Tab-separated table of all heavy atoms in Angstrom:
chain	number	residue	atom	x	y	z
A	7	LEU	N	-2.256	21.196	3.855
A	7	LEU	CA	-2.154	20.401	5.081
A	7	LEU	C	-1.423	19.102	4.772
A	7	LEU	O	-0.592	18.630	5.531
A	7	LEU	CB	-3.573	20.103	5.562
A	7	LEU	CG	-3.696	19.284	6.812
A	7	LEU	CD1	-4.062	20.207	7.968
A	7	LEU	CD2	-4.756	18.230	6.643
A	21	GLN	N	1.002	-2.303	-10.423
A	21	GLN	CA	1.338	-0.911	-10.117
A	21	GLN	C	0.067	-0.234	-9.603
A	21	GLN	O	-0.749	0.255	-10.376
A	21	GLN	CB	1.872	-0.217	-11.385
A	21	GLN	CG	2.559	1.126	-11.113
A	21	GLN	CD	3.845	0.986	-10.304
A	21	GLN	OE1	4.637	0.084	-10.533
A	21	GLN	NE2	4.053	1.867	-9.337
A	22	ALA	N	-0.116	-0.228	-8.275
A	22	ALA	CA	-1.363	0.296	-7.688
A	22	ALA	C	-1.440	1.810	-7.786
A	22	ALA	O	-2.527	2.372	-7.956
A	22	ALA	CB	-1.481	-0.149	-6.230
A	23	LEU	N	-0.289	2.489	-7.678
A	23	LEU	CA	-0.246	3.954	-7.803
A	23	LEU	C	1.013	4.357	-8.562
A	23	LEU	O	2.094	3.819	-8.306
A	23	LEU	CB	-0.223	4.622	-6.419
A	23	LEU	CG	-1.510	4.519	-5.589
A	23	LEU	CD1	-1.253	4.993	-4.160
A	23	LEU	CD2	-2.655	5.299	-6.211
A	27	THR	N	0.511	13.099	-7.540
A	27	THR	CA	0.801	14.374	-6.881
A	27	THR	C	-0.487	15.170	-6.717
A	27	THR	O	-1.215	15.351	-7.693
A	27	THR	CB	1.808	15.207	-7.703
A	27	THR	OG1	3.057	14.505	-7.775
A	27	THR	CG2	2.042	16.575	-7.075
A	47	THR	N	-7.940	3.168	-1.999
A	47	THR	CA	-7.657	2.621	-0.669
A	47	THR	C	-6.162	2.474	-0.454
A	47	THR	O	-5.651	2.698	0.647
A	47	THR	CB	-8.376	1.264	-0.488
A	47	THR	OG1	-9.783	1.483	-0.603
A	47	THR	CG2	-8.073	0.644	0.867
A	49	LEU	N	-3.890	4.467	-1.521
A	49	LEU	CA	-3.386	5.779	-1.117
A	49	LEU	C	-3.702	6.033	0.359
A	49	LEU	O	-2.844	6.533	1.104
A	49	LEU	CB	-3.984	6.876	-2.004
A	49	LEU	CG	-3.366	8.255	-1.825
A	49	LEU	CD1	-1.870	8.244	-2.066
A	49	LEU	CD2	-4.021	9.279	-2.735
A	54	SER	N	-1.841	6.572	5.894
A	54	SER	CA	-2.013	6.187	7.306
A	54	SER	C	-0.943	5.202	7.773
A	54	SER	O	-1.042	4.644	8.866
A	54	SER	CB	-3.418	5.627	7.535
A	54	SER	OG	-3.667	4.534	6.680
A	60	ASN	N	6.756	3.315	-2.278
A	60	ASN	CA	7.938	2.878	-3.030
A	60	ASN	C	8.755	4.078	-3.480
A	60	ASN	O	9.977	4.072	-3.432
A	60	ASN	CB	7.548	2.089	-4.277
A	60	ASN	CG	6.948	0.731	-3.955
A	60	ASN	OD1	6.088	0.246	-4.667
A	60	ASN	ND2	7.378	0.134	-2.851
A	64	ILE	N	5.276	11.971	1.211
A	64	ILE	CA	3.996	12.416	1.755
A	64	ILE	C	4.317	13.396	2.878
A	64	ILE	O	5.006	13.047	3.837
A	64	ILE	CB	3.157	11.236	2.295
A	64	ILE	CG1	2.879	10.237	1.164
A	64	ILE	CG2	1.848	11.747	2.898
A	64	ILE	CD1	2.085	9.014	1.589
A	65	LEU	N	3.856	14.647	2.727
A	65	LEU	CA	4.149	15.684	3.716
A	65	LEU	C	2.877	16.089	4.437
A	65	LEU	O	1.859	16.370	3.789
A	65	LEU	CB	4.750	16.926	3.026
A	65	LEU	CG	6.002	16.692	2.182
A	65	LEU	CD1	6.437	17.997	1.514
A	65	LEU	CD2	7.143	16.153	3.028
A	70	ASP	N	7.827	15.307	6.468
A	70	ASP	CA	7.777	14.023	5.784
A	70	ASP	C	7.297	12.944	6.759
A	70	ASP	O	7.927	12.707	7.787
A	70	ASP	CB	9.204	13.691	5.293
A	70	ASP	CG	9.204	12.520	4.339
A	70	ASP	OD1	8.221	11.755	4.317
A	70	ASP	OD2	10.196	12.375	3.597
A	72	ARG	N	6.601	9.728	5.817
A	72	ARG	CA	6.704	8.412	5.175
A	72	ARG	C	7.091	7.284	6.114
A	72	ARG	O	6.677	6.159	5.917
A	72	ARG	CB	7.746	8.457	4.057
A	72	ARG	CG	7.173	8.771	2.722
A	72	ARG	CD	8.281	8.865	1.731
A	72	ARG	NE	9.319	9.796	2.170
A	72	ARG	CZ	10.461	9.978	1.528
A	72	ARG	NH1	10.728	9.296	0.445
A	72	ARG	NH2	11.351	10.843	1.974
A	89	GLN	N	-12.820	0.754	4.506
A	89	GLN	CA	-13.819	0.378	3.494
A	89	GLN	C	-14.721	-0.727	4.055
A	89	GLN	O	-15.932	-0.683	3.882
A	89	GLN	CB	-13.078	-0.089	2.239
A	89	GLN	CG	-13.981	-0.328	1.056
A	89	GLN	CD	-13.187	-0.422	-0.244
A	89	GLN	OE1	-12.011	-0.046	-0.312
A	89	GLN	NE2	-13.818	-0.907	-1.282
A	111	THR	N	-5.135	10.818	25.416
A	111	THR	CA	-5.149	10.939	26.870
A	111	THR	C	-3.726	10.750	27.397
A	111	THR	O	-2.898	10.093	26.767
A	111	THR	CB	-6.072	9.886	27.523
A	111	THR	OG1	-5.668	8.595	27.110
A	111	THR	CG2	-7.528	10.107	27.165
A	121	ARG	N	-3.841	2.251	36.727
A	121	ARG	CA	-4.588	3.197	37.552
A	121	ARG	C	-3.698	4.226	38.246
A	121	ARG	O	-3.617	4.293	39.458
A	121	ARG	CB	-5.486	2.470	38.565
A	121	ARG	CG	-6.286	1.357	37.956
A	121	ARG	CD	-7.774	1.365	38.162
A	121	ARG	NE	-8.460	2.609	38.270
A	121	ARG	CZ	-9.236	3.112	37.316
A	121	ARG	NH1	-9.384	2.507	36.172
A	121	ARG	NH2	-9.875	4.227	37.524
A	122	PHE	N	-3.015	5.047	37.442
A	122	PHE	CA	-2.271	6.168	38.013
A	122	PHE	C	-3.265	7.164	38.621
A	122	PHE	O	-4.438	7.162	38.254
A	122	PHE	CB	-1.437	6.854	36.911
A	122	PHE	CG	-0.353	5.969	36.362
A	122	PHE	CD1	-0.221	5.798	34.990
A	122	PHE	CD2	0.528	5.317	37.217
A	122	PHE	CE1	0.777	4.983	34.470
A	122	PHE	CE2	1.532	4.500	36.696
A	122	PHE	CZ	1.655	4.328	35.326
A	134	ARG	N	-16.998	12.052	28.947
A	134	ARG	CA	-17.783	13.214	28.507
A	134	ARG	C	-17.581	13.428	26.996
A	134	ARG	O	-18.541	13.589	26.247
A	134	ARG	CB	-17.363	14.469	29.284
A	134	ARG	CG	-18.194	15.686	28.927
A	134	ARG	CD	-17.900	16.877	29.821
A	134	ARG	NE	-16.492	17.236	29.897
A	134	ARG	CZ	-15.813	17.820	28.905
A	134	ARG	NH1	-16.404	18.096	27.777
A	134	ARG	NH2	-14.540	18.111	29.055
A	140	LEU	N	-20.909	10.749	20.467
A	140	LEU	CA	-22.089	9.938	20.134
A	140	LEU	C	-23.245	10.835	19.762
A	140	LEU	O	-23.991	10.567	18.808
A	140	LEU	CB	-22.485	9.057	21.324
A	140	LEU	CG	-21.688	7.783	21.502
A	140	LEU	CD1	-22.275	6.943	22.623
A	140	LEU	CD2	-21.688	6.973	20.201
A	147	ASP	N	-28.496	7.278	21.933
A	147	ASP	CA	-29.426	6.316	22.555
A	147	ASP	C	-28.884	4.886	22.537
A	147	ASP	O	-29.500	3.989	23.106
A	147	ASP	CB	-30.773	6.335	21.824
A	147	ASP	CG	-31.493	7.656	22.040
A	147	ASP	OD1	-31.096	8.383	22.975
A	147	ASP	OD2	-32.417	7.957	21.264
A	150	ASP	N	-24.823	1.889	25.074
A	150	ASP	CA	-24.494	0.648	25.780
A	150	ASP	C	-24.778	-0.609	24.961
A	150	ASP	O	-24.661	-1.730	25.456
A	150	ASP	CB	-25.257	0.596	27.112
A	150	ASP	CG	-24.866	1.768	27.986
A	150	ASP	OD1	-23.669	2.118	27.982
A	150	ASP	OD2	-25.748	2.366	28.615
A	171	ALA	N	-12.653	10.696	17.723
A	171	ALA	CA	-12.240	10.661	19.130
A	171	ALA	C	-10.737	10.870	19.277
A	171	ALA	O	-10.263	11.268	20.333
A	171	ALA	CB	-12.648	9.336	19.764
A	191	THR	N	-27.618	8.526	3.807
A	191	THR	CA	-26.560	9.166	3.018
A	191	THR	C	-26.646	10.691	3.119
A	191	THR	O	-25.629	11.377	3.242
A	191	THR	CB	-26.639	8.720	1.546
A	191	THR	OG1	-26.540	7.290	1.505
A	191	THR	CG2	-25.523	9.314	0.715
A	213	HIS	N	-18.044	6.167	-3.825
A	213	HIS	CA	-18.614	5.858	-5.142
A	213	HIS	C	-19.956	6.563	-5.360
A	213	HIS	O	-20.455	6.599	-6.478
A	213	HIS	CB	-18.799	4.341	-5.301
A	213	HIS	CG	-17.513	3.615	-5.570
A	213	HIS	ND1	-16.797	3.774	-6.744
A	213	HIS	CD2	-16.791	2.754	-4.827
A	213	HIS	CE1	-15.703	3.020	-6.700
A	213	HIS	NE2	-15.674	2.391	-5.538
A	219	MET	N	-20.046	14.894	-5.148
A	219	MET	CA	-20.057	16.165	-5.888
A	219	MET	C	-20.693	17.271	-5.055
A	219	MET	O	-20.334	18.434	-5.154
A	219	MET	CB	-20.814	15.998	-7.214
A	219	MET	CG	-20.143	15.032	-8.171
A	219	MET	SD	-18.495	15.617	-8.624
A	219	MET	CE	-17.789	14.164	-9.379
A	236	GLU	N	-8.173	16.604	-11.859
A	236	GLU	CA	-8.288	17.256	-10.563
A	236	GLU	C	-8.966	18.595	-10.796
A	236	GLU	O	-8.651	19.284	-11.756
A	236	GLU	CB	-6.888	17.475	-9.976
A	236	GLU	CG	-6.935	18.164	-8.645
A	236	GLU	CD	-5.554	18.372	-8.024
A	236	GLU	OE1	-4.546	17.968	-8.636
A	236	GLU	OE2	-5.514	18.940	-6.935
Side-chain angles (χ1 to χ4, degrees):
L7 180 104
Q21 194 66 42
L23 291 169
T27 297
T47 299
L49 189 57
S54 57
N60 291 147
I64 300 179
L65 304 177
D70 191 341
R72 267 177 307 174
Q89 188 165 345
T111 56
R121 313 234 32 107
F122 294 130
R134 183 173 53 72
L140 279 186
D147 292 344
D150 300 321
T191 303
H213 284 293
M219 296 298 166
E236 179 179 0

